Every structure is written in C-alpha cells, then in structure tokens.
Amino acid sequence: MWRYVGDHPGSAGGRSRDASACASVAIMTVDSPANCAGDGARAPDAESEQWVRALSGCGAERDRAVTALHEALLRVARAEFARRSGQLRISGPELDDLAYQATADAVIAILAKVGQFRGESRFTTWAYRFVILEVSAKIGRHFWRQPHVPLDTADWDRLPDRLGLDPARESEWRDLARALRRAVEGELTDHQRRIFIALMVDGVPLDALVARLGTSRNAIYKTMYDARGKLRASLVANGYLHESR
Amino acid sequence: MSNWPDLDRFLQTDPCDAGCGTAMELLHVYADLAAADPAAAQRRYPEVAAHLRACGPCEQDLGGLLAAIRPDVTKP
Ligand SMILES: [Zn+2]
C-alpha cells in the first residue's frame, strides 16, 4: 500500500525542491535503466562470472547451474512469501505452489536475459530481483481470488482511516475530508479518479490493480503521483494545507 | 507545518522521484549498495531513494531483496 506515514522527502523540500539536482535522471516515464545506471556496469566478480558462464553454456554444467539457480530462487521465494504472509490468506501446499510458480517464471526470465547481466551487482542479487518481483506479481494476482470487497464500492468513510486521520478528531478534519473528496471528484481526470478510488477508498493493493488493469506498476504510480499533486494544490488553494517551502 | 502530517506527506510529491520503472530496474544495484551502506546507496541513487520513501510496493520489494542477500553478505 502507499507510504504516507513516516519520513518523506517532500516534507523537507517538497514541490519547491530544485529539480535540477536530478536533471540527469529520467523521471517517471522512462523504464530503461540506461539513463540511471549507465555508469554502473563493471567487471563481474568471480562467482558472478561463473554463474553467467555456466548458465550461458551447455551440457551437464548448464544443467547443474540451472538446478542450483532453481534451488536458490525457491528458497528466496518461500522466504518472501513467508515474510509477506499477512497479505495472503493461504498457507501450506497452496502457498508453496505459488512459490514454485514464481521460481519457475523467474528461472525462465533469467535464462532468457542472462546475456544482459552487466555486473552492476552480484549475479545472485540480480537473479533474486526477478523472483522477488514475481512474488509481488503473484500476490497481486492472488488478491482477486480471495473474498474481498468488490472494486468500485467507493465507501468514502474508509478514506480518513487510510489517511491517518484520527476518528477522535473528526470534528477538526470533517471539512478537510469533504474538500478532499470534492477535489477528487472535481479536479482529477476520470482515470486518475478511478485509480485514486481503487487504491485509497476501496483499498486495493497497487500490484492487484496492476493485475486487474493489465498495466504496469509504474503507470499506476505515475497516475497517482499526478493525482496527489493536483489534490494537494487544491487543498492548499482552499486553505486546508500549507504551501510547501 | 500542516495539522495533518500523514495526509500532507502522502500528497507531497518529490520531483526527484524516479518512479517504479526505474526503481525496479535498479533494485539489484541499489540493494547491493544498501546492504553494505544504506546511506551510500541513497547518495548514489537519490532518485531511487526518493521513490522508495514514497512507494510501498517498491520499498517492500527492496526489503525482500535485502533479506534474500543478507546471508550472502555475511559469507566469508
Ligand atoms: Zn514503486
């Protein structure tokens, strides 16, 4: 779910922060790592080199490497599902089956892309990333197989809790919550409103929405990023929040 | 300072935020750096660090990756 509790760089610099410090960084719209990590490539360490050589080869050595990779990724997948078990209402063989699926998908992706490994990290870290992302995608897809509140119920009473507004102080934030809802309904595009309501009102996890809409995490984040900016500007204009310094 | 800091932080957007695409692409590089020195990772990739502070799913993936590589880090 969204991080709206805890440290946030916006509170230190926010919207007025000089973006030129990050001018060389592709913001939001560029998925390619080339812009950010072009200088990160270096000669792989010996162990990473050995992985790449074995997985790119053939015969028994490759088979052994694929088996070892599968074992390592399965350990990571199982540990990650266990770490995130609170997001799933399954356990035992069903959960282990998801771990096997995530592992199998990750191994296929890694074997297809092993030639693209550029030594920016250790090989195992690069490989584990594939299975971690598969676990997230599987948890997102699994959301829709659980009993849940259907999409588009738009129960706005749940929003204050998600935004950390204390029920005991409702008399203080009631107008703010109304202003926020007016801004959602009046300032956002249809698409932004749909995404905002799914994530923040209906409480759909971001990766579940990715699975439902057949889009990318980046696309939904970008939509919410723009929506957040619009909503904040509206609340500032109406005196509910202060302008960022 | 807002009277509603959680809401305010949620609505704040950081122009340095790299977005999920870049963060996911660099997650392995960032994780190796962060496992050794989190501050160094933030200095090296401020745009990824900004994103991880704002995006729960990507921050969770980083947590998983750091947990996965921890045994390797401590290996002699
Ligand atoms: Zn993200």
Side-chain angles (χ1 to χ4, degrees), chain A residues 47 66 92 101 120-121 150 171 199 241:
Chain A
E47 186 186 333
V66 172
Q101 287 176 33
E120 301 153 300
S121 69
S171 61
L199 294 172
L241 295 178

mmCIF file with all atom_site columns, all heavy atoms in Angstrom, chain A residues 47 66 92 101 120-121 150 171 199 241:
data_model
loop_
_atom_site.group_PDB
_atom_site.id
_atom_site.type_symbol
_atom_site.label_atom_id
_atom_site.label_alt_id
_atom_site.label_comp_id
_atom_site.label_asym_id
_atom_site.label_entity_id
_atom_site.label_seq_id
_atom_site.pdbx_PDB_ins_code
_atom_site.Cartn_x
_atom_site.Cartn_y
_atom_site.Cartn_z
_atom_site.occupancy
_atom_site.B_iso_or_equiv
_atom_site.pdbx_formal_charge
_atom_site.auth_seq_id
_atom_site.auth_comp_id
_atom_site.auth_asym_id
_atom_site.auth_atom_id
_atom_site.pdbx_PDB_model_num
ATOM 1  N N   . GLU A 1 47  ? 32.502  -15.135 -8.747  1.00 0.00 ? 47  GLU A N   1
ATOM 2  C CA  . GLU A 1 47  ? 31.344  -16.016 -8.565  1.00 0.00 ? 47  GLU A CA  1
ATOM 3  C C   . GLU A 1 47  ? 30.251  -15.684 -9.579  1.00 0.00 ? 47  GLU A C   1
ATOM 4  O O   . GLU A 1 47  ? 29.626  -16.582 -10.168 1.00 0.00 ? 47  GLU A O   1
ATOM 5  C CB  . GLU A 1 47  ? 30.809  -15.869 -7.140  1.00 0.00 ? 47  GLU A CB  1
ATOM 6  C CG  . GLU A 1 47  ? 29.703  -16.858 -6.819  1.00 0.00 ? 47  GLU A CG  1
ATOM 7  C CD  . GLU A 1 47  ? 29.066  -16.614 -5.449  1.00 0.00 ? 47  GLU A CD  1
ATOM 8  O OE1 . GLU A 1 47  ? 29.741  -16.067 -4.557  1.00 0.00 ? 47  GLU A OE1 1
ATOM 9  O OE2 . GLU A 1 47  ? 27.886  -16.956 -5.287  1.00 0.00 ? 47  GLU A OE2 1
ATOM 10 N N   . VAL A 1 66  ? 21.470  -24.570 -13.662 1.00 0.00 ? 66  VAL A N   1
ATOM 11 C CA  . VAL A 1 66  ? 20.026  -24.279 -13.655 1.00 0.00 ? 66  VAL A CA  1
ATOM 12 C C   . VAL A 1 66  ? 19.381  -24.874 -12.402 1.00 0.00 ? 66  VAL A C   1
ATOM 13 O O   . VAL A 1 66  ? 18.546  -24.242 -11.746 1.00 0.00 ? 66  VAL A O   1
ATOM 14 C CB  . VAL A 1 66  ? 19.348  -24.824 -14.942 1.00 0.00 ? 66  VAL A CB  1
ATOM 15 C CG1 . VAL A 1 66  ? 17.827  -24.700 -14.847 1.00 0.00 ? 66  VAL A CG1 1
ATOM 16 C CG2 . VAL A 1 66  ? 19.861  -24.083 -16.174 1.00 0.00 ? 66  VAL A CG2 1
ATOM 17 N N   . GLY A 1 92  ? 0.493   -23.388 3.536   1.00 0.00 ? 92  GLY A N   1
ATOM 18 C CA  . GLY A 1 92  ? 0.717   -24.798 3.220   1.00 0.00 ? 92  GLY A CA  1
ATOM 19 C C   . GLY A 1 92  ? 0.990   -25.034 1.744   1.00 0.00 ? 92  GLY A C   1
ATOM 20 O O   . GLY A 1 92  ? 1.670   -24.242 1.089   1.00 0.00 ? 92  GLY A O   1
ATOM 21 N N   . GLN A 1 101 ? 5.705   -21.597 -8.645  1.00 0.00 ? 101 GLN A N   1
ATOM 22 C CA  . GLN A 1 101 ? 5.354   -20.873 -9.883  1.00 0.00 ? 101 GLN A CA  1
ATOM 23 C C   . GLN A 1 101 ? 6.227   -19.640 -10.060 1.00 0.00 ? 101 GLN A C   1
ATOM 24 O O   . GLN A 1 101 ? 6.732   -19.361 -11.161 1.00 0.00 ? 101 GLN A O   1
ATOM 25 C CB  . GLN A 1 101 ? 3.887   -20.437 -9.834  1.00 0.00 ? 101 GLN A CB  1
ATOM 26 C CG  . GLN A 1 101 ? 2.887   -21.556 -10.009 1.00 0.00 ? 101 GLN A CG  1
ATOM 27 C CD  . GLN A 1 101 ? 1.461   -21.026 -9.844  1.00 0.00 ? 101 GLN A CD  1
ATOM 28 O OE1 . GLN A 1 101 ? 1.155   -19.895 -10.183 1.00 0.00 ? 101 GLN A OE1 1
ATOM 29 N NE2 . GLN A 1 101 ? 0.598   -21.867 -9.297  1.00 0.00 ? 101 GLN A NE2 1
ATOM 30 N N   . GLU A 1 120 ? 26.506  -4.997  -12.686 1.00 0.00 ? 120 GLU A N   1
ATOM 31 C CA  . GLU A 1 120 ? 26.266  -3.827  -11.820 1.00 0.00 ? 120 GLU A CA  1
ATOM 32 C C   . GLU A 1 120 ? 26.074  -4.235  -10.371 1.00 0.00 ? 120 GLU A C   1
ATOM 33 O O   . GLU A 1 120 ? 26.206  -3.410  -9.464  1.00 0.00 ? 120 GLU A O   1
ATOM 34 C CB  . GLU A 1 120 ? 25.006  -3.089  -12.276 1.00 0.00 ? 120 GLU A CB  1
ATOM 35 C CG  . GLU A 1 120 ? 25.057  -2.610  -13.700 1.00 0.00 ? 120 GLU A CG  1
ATOM 36 C CD  . GLU A 1 120 ? 23.656  -2.509  -14.280 1.00 0.00 ? 120 GLU A CD  1
ATOM 37 O OE1 . GLU A 1 120 ? 22.962  -3.533  -14.333 1.00 0.00 ? 120 GLU A OE1 1
ATOM 38 O OE2 . GLU A 1 120 ? 23.266  -1.395  -14.660 1.00 0.00 ? 120 GLU A OE2 1
ATOM 39 N N   . SER A 1 121 ? 25.709  -5.495  -10.183 1.00 0.00 ? 121 SER A N   1
ATOM 40 C CA  . SER A 1 121 ? 25.553  -6.049  -8.834  1.00 0.00 ? 121 SER A CA  1
ATOM 41 C C   . SER A 1 121 ? 26.107  -7.467  -8.906  1.00 0.00 ? 121 SER A C   1
ATOM 42 O O   . SER A 1 121 ? 26.528  -7.927  -9.972  1.00 0.00 ? 121 SER A O   1
ATOM 43 C CB  . SER A 1 121 ? 24.069  -6.107  -8.447  1.00 0.00 ? 121 SER A CB  1
ATOM 44 O OG  . SER A 1 121 ? 23.418  -7.094  -9.245  1.00 0.00 ? 121 SER A OG  1
ATOM 45 N N   . PRO A 1 150 ? -15.770 -5.817  -3.442  1.00 0.00 ? 150 PRO A N   1
ATOM 46 C CA  . PRO A 1 150 ? -15.604 -5.611  -4.881  1.00 0.00 ? 150 PRO A CA  1
ATOM 47 C C   . PRO A 1 150 ? -15.130 -4.201  -5.226  1.00 0.00 ? 150 PRO A C   1
ATOM 48 O O   . PRO A 1 150 ? -15.353 -3.260  -4.471  1.00 0.00 ? 150 PRO A O   1
ATOM 49 C CB  . PRO A 1 150 ? -17.009 -5.850  -5.434  1.00 0.00 ? 150 PRO A CB  1
ATOM 50 C CG  . PRO A 1 150 ? -17.884 -6.186  -4.306  1.00 0.00 ? 150 PRO A CG  1
ATOM 51 C CD  . PRO A 1 150 ? -17.134 -6.053  -3.036  1.00 0.00 ? 150 PRO A CD  1
ATOM 52 N N   . SER A 1 171 ? -14.306 16.141  14.204  1.00 0.00 ? 171 SER A N   1
ATOM 53 C CA  . SER A 1 171 ? -14.875 17.496  14.056  1.00 0.00 ? 171 SER A CA  1
ATOM 54 C C   . SER A 1 171 ? -13.851 18.453  13.442  1.00 0.00 ? 171 SER A C   1
ATOM 55 O O   . SER A 1 171 ? -14.226 19.408  12.775  1.00 0.00 ? 171 SER A O   1
ATOM 56 C CB  . SER A 1 171 ? -15.336 18.014  15.417  1.00 0.00 ? 171 SER A CB  1
ATOM 57 O OG  . SER A 1 171 ? -14.229 18.074  16.299  1.00 0.00 ? 171 SER A OG  1
ATOM 58 N N   . LEU A 1 199 ? -7.356  2.566   -5.062  1.00 0.00 ? 199 LEU A N   1
ATOM 59 C CA  . LEU A 1 199 ? -6.260  2.399   -4.112  1.00 0.00 ? 199 LEU A CA  1
ATOM 60 C C   . LEU A 1 199 ? -6.605  2.936   -2.724  1.00 0.00 ? 199 LEU A C   1
ATOM 61 O O   . LEU A 1 199 ? -6.345  2.282   -1.717  1.00 0.00 ? 199 LEU A O   1
ATOM 62 C CB  . LEU A 1 199 ? -5.001  3.120   -4.621  1.00 0.00 ? 199 LEU A CB  1
ATOM 63 C CG  . LEU A 1 199 ? -4.345  2.571   -5.894  1.00 0.00 ? 199 LEU A CG  1
ATOM 64 C CD1 . LEU A 1 199 ? -3.242  3.507   -6.350  1.00 0.00 ? 199 LEU A CD1 1
ATOM 65 C CD2 . LEU A 1 199 ? -3.790  1.173   -5.653  1.00 0.00 ? 199 LEU A CD2 1
ATOM 66 N N   . LEU A 1 241 ? -4.205  22.993  3.593   1.00 0.00 ? 241 LEU A N   1
ATOM 67 C CA  . LEU A 1 241 ? -2.799  22.631  3.788   1.00 0.00 ? 241 LEU A CA  1
ATOM 68 C C   . LEU A 1 241 ? -1.944  23.850  3.466   1.00 0.00 ? 241 LEU A C   1
ATOM 69 O O   . LEU A 1 241 ? -2.365  24.733  2.718   1.00 0.00 ? 241 LEU A O   1
ATOM 70 C CB  . LEU A 1 241 ? -2.395  21.473  2.867   1.00 0.00 ? 241 LEU A CB  1
ATOM 71 C CG  . LEU A 1 241 ? -3.063  20.111  3.089   1.00 0.00 ? 241 LEU A CG  1
ATOM 72 C CD1 . LEU A 1 241 ? -2.566  19.105  2.045   1.00 0.00 ? 241 LEU A CD1 1
ATOM 73 C CD2 . LEU A 1 241 ? -2.791  19.572  4.493   1.00 0.00 ? 241 LEU A CD2 1
#
